[in-house]
C-alpha cells in the first residue's frame, strides 16, 4: 500500500489564484481529513469526511472547499488564495469505528503552500 | 474553541536522559493521542489511550490518560538521537473531532 499520498509537495501561488490540493489513500479508509499546520503550531482541522459523498466543516473551513466523490480521494480546493493560507497542509485518513483502532490517523507527507 | 495546553514548548536534553511532557485541557476528552513529527513529514501516531487512568507503553515511550480525562503525559526513557522531533498531543472529543496541542520540540545536545 502507498498509504496516504499528497500532491503537489510544494506550491507558490499569487494572491487571488486558485488551486486544488490532491489527497488519495489506498487503505479503504472511510474517514479522511484535511489539516493545516502553521509554523510553531499544532494542526488545525479544515474539513473532514466520514465517507464518500459526506463532508463536514472543521475548525478553520473559511476559504476552502472539499469534495468526496470516491472513498479514495479527498481534494481540497482554494478558490481565492490569500497570504493567510500560507501553511503546510496535511491530509489524513482513518478506519471507521468498529473497523479497527478508530483513532489511528495515517498522515500524508504534506503540501507546503506559499501565497505571495 | 477548545484548546490543549502542551508543555514544555521545547526541551534541550543530553542523550540518555529521560523526557517528560504533558497536555492539559479544561475539557474532557474520550481519547488521548500522542504523535511524533519529523522534519518535512506528517505526524505519526505513537500511542493511543482510550480509558481514564490507562497507562500504555510502546518501547521506551510511556503515556497515561489522566483520571480526570482532562490531561495526559508522555515519557521517553533513555533518549537517543532519533527521538529528536516535535511531539504532539491530541484529544478526541465525543463528536470524533480531534484537537491538537501546539507541540513539544525535543532537541538532543551533542
Amino acid at each position: 500500500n502507498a498509504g496516504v499520498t499528497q500532491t503537489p509537495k510544494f506550491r507558490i501561488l499569487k494572491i487571488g489564484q486558485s488551486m486544488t490540493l490532491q489527497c488519495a489513500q489506498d487503505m479503504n479508509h472511510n474517514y479522511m481529513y484535511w489539516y493545516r499546520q502553521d509554523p510553531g503550531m499544532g494542526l488545525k482541522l479544515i474539513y473532514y469526511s466520514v465517507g464518500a459523498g459526506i463532508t463536514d466543516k472543521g475548525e478553520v473551513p473559511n476559504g476552502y472547499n472539499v469534495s468526496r466523490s470516491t472513498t479514495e480521494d479527498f481534494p481540497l480546493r482554494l478558490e481565492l488564495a490569500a497570504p493567510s493560507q500560507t501553511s503546510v497542509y496535511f491530509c489524513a485518513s482513518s478506519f471507521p469505528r468498529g473497523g479497527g483502532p478508530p483513532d489511528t490517523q495515517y498522515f500524508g507527507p504534506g503540501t507546503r503552500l506559499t501565497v505571495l | 474553541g477548545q484548546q490543549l495546553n502542551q508543555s514544555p514548548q521545547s526541551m534541550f536534553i543530553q542523550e540518555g536522559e529521560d523526557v517528560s511532557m504533558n497536555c492539559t485541557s479544561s475539557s474532557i476528552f474520550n481519547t488521548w493521542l500522542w504523535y511524533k513529527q519529523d522534519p518535512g513529514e506528517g505526524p505519526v501516531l505513537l500511542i493511543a489511550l482510550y480509558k481514564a487512568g490507562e497507562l500504555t507503553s510502546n518501547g521506551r515511550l510511556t503515556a497515561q490518560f489522566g483520571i480526570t480525562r482532562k490531561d495526559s503525559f508522555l515519557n521517553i526513557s533513555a533518549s537517543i538521537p532519533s527521538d529528536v522531533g516535535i511531539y504532539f498531543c491530541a484529544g478526541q472529543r465525543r463528536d470524533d473531532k480531534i484537537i491538537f496541542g501546539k507541540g513539544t520540540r525535543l532537541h538532543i545536545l551533542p
Side-chain angles (χ1 to χ4, degrees):
Chain A
N1 287 352
V4 180
T5 57
Q6 290 183 241
T7 57
K9 285 193 175 181
F10 304 92
R11 184 71 187 268
I12 297 176
L13 285 181
K14 293 182 180 178
I15 295 172
Q17 284 186 319
S18 62
M19 78 163 293
T20 299
L21 282 67
Q22 302 291 345
C23 174
Q25 53 90 11
D26 60 359
M27 298 174 283
N28 203 31
H29 288 175
N30 278 7
Y31 285 32
M32 294 187 75
Y33 313 79
W34 273 106
Y35 292 90
R36 60 177 286 172
Q37 184 179 32
D38 298 327
M41 304 292 285
L43 288 88
K44 292 193 175 179
L45 184 64
I46 305 171
Y47 270 95
Y48 67 104
S49 168
V50 300
I54 306 169
T55 62
D56 210 345
K57 294 179 181 179
E59 189 181 353
V60 288
N62 291 345
Y64 307 95
N65 274 303
V66 293
S67 59
R68 186 91 182 274
S69 56
T70 67
T71 299
E72 294 78 19
D73 301 296
F74 191 38
L76 177 72
R77 178 96 180 145
L78 282 72
E79 290 294 348
L80 289 170
S84 61
Q85 293 178 305
T86 294
S87 189
V88 180
Y89 291 84
F90 289 101
C91 178
S93 70
S94 69
F95 290 109
R97 284 191 177 275
D103 314 302
T104 304
Q105 287 188 321
Y106 296 85
F107 283 82
T111 294
R112 291 184 179 277
L113 176 66
T114 301
V115 182
L116 301 173
Chain B
Q2 279 183 303
Q3 287 195 353
L4 291 184
N5 300 309
Q6 186 171 352
S7 65
Q9 283 190 339
S10 61
M11 303 181 71
F12 292 82
I13 63 168
Q14 301 281 351
E15 183 178 347
E17 286 186 18
D18 296 342
V19 172
S20 184
M21 60 190 78
N22 68 79
C23 261
T24 61
S25 174
S26 57
S27 304
I28 290 173
F29 290 95
N30 286 350
T31 302
W32 281 96
L33 308 164
W34 285 94
Y35 290 85
K36 179 174 184 261
Q37 185 178 26
D38 292 325
E41 303 286 332
V44 174
L45 184 68
L46 298 173
I47 293 178
L49 302 159
Y50 301 105
K51 293 194 318 187
E54 180 180 352
L55 185 71
T56 297
S57 292
N58 178 6
R60 294 178 294 106
L61 278 63
T62 302
Q64 185 159 29
F65 192 142
I67 291 289
T68 64
R69 295 168 65 192
K70 295 181 179 180
D71 61 345
S72 177
F73 72 74
L74 174 71
N75 286 343
I76 305 173
S77 63
S79 58
I80 61 178
S82 61
D83 290 335
V84 167
I86 305 175
Y87 292 80
F88 290 100
C89 65
Q92 186 174 37
R93 306 185 321 198
R94 280 186 192 171
D95 60 3
D96 285 350
K97 287 184 182 173
I98 296 176
I99 308 295
F100 281 80
K102 293 183 179 180
T104 294
R105 281 168 172 69
L106 180 62
H107 306 270
I108 296 184
L109 301 169

